[in-house]
Amino acid sequence: MAKQIWLNLPVKDVAKSKAFFSKIGFSFNEEHDTSKSTCMLVGEGKFVIMLFEENMFTDFSQNKLTDTKTSSEVLISIDAESKDEVDTLAKKVQEAGGNVFAAPSLNQGWMYGCGFADLDGHRWNSLFMDFSKLS
């Protein structure tokens, strides 16, 4: 059975993407960096997201890329420990050049979150879930 899972994302410019994600608080395992890829670590479990230059990604996937301006290939969700953490992340995303397409707000009475797109248009959301208010 599988021991590990990671996500691969295409990016136009690895260095710019690495700078963006660093500014919003993600870390990297630089042992695996190349000029065309980087290994991003997300969360306490250090979930791996590999960022590959678009040409390298299409060589692997053997498929054309999704136009992230008109469609989504995935929504990457990350948890937050508080509403303040969601608000802070949204601010960092804007300051780093990303697009907050859904401002921080309450949803269904128990989830507080925001939606944002990174420099390459990949869609993310950050959610604080207050399960005590779940009905």
Side-chain angles (χ1 to χ4, degrees):
M1 190 57 164
K3 294 185 240 172
Q4 212 175 18
I5 184 172
W6 62 91
L7 181 69
N8 300 311
L9 287 177
V11 298
K12 288 176 182 39
D13 185 309
V14 171
K16 286 182 181 178
S17 292
K18 187 174 180 180
F20 169 81
F21 285 111
S22 293
K23 287 176 186 174
I24 68 169
F26 293 168
S27 62
F28 292 83
N29 180 348
E30 295 184 350
E31 287 179 28
H32 299 293
D33 276 10
T34 72
S35 62
K36 296 182 178 195
S37 66
T38 190
C39 177
M40 185 166 65
L41 305 173
V42 180
E44 292 174 4
K46 297 186 179 179
F47 182 82
V48 173
I49 299 179
M50 293 296 299
L51 305 178
F52 289 103
E53 184 179 272
E54 288 179 343
N55 290 339
M56 190 175 195
F57 184 90
T58 56
D59 285 347
F60 292 152
S61 69
Q62 298 183 10
N63 210 350
K64 68 180 186 169
L65 297 177
T66 297
D67 180 356
T68 56
K69 291 180 182 137
T70 60
S71 63
S72 297
E73 78 281 87
V74 67
L75 175 64
I76 306 162
S77 299
I78 53 177
D79 71 338
E81 293 185 25
S82 66
K83 290 179 180 181
D84 287 340
E85 190 174 303
V86 171
D87 293 339
T88 299
L89 179 63
K91 184 176 179 185
K92 286 180 179 180
V93 165
Q94 287 178 317
E95 290 171 351
N99 173 37
V100 176
F101 62 83
S105 64
L106 190 62
N107 189 337
Q108 299 178 26
W110 64 280
M111 291 185 292
Y112 183 83
C114 72
F116 67 92
D118 63 29
L119 299 180
D120 292 281
H122 303 295
R123 294 199 167 230
W124 299 72
N125 70 351
S126 177
L127 291 172
F128 168 66
M129 296 175 278
D130 186 348
F131 292 106
S132 70
K133 294 182 181 178
L134 182 64
S135 50

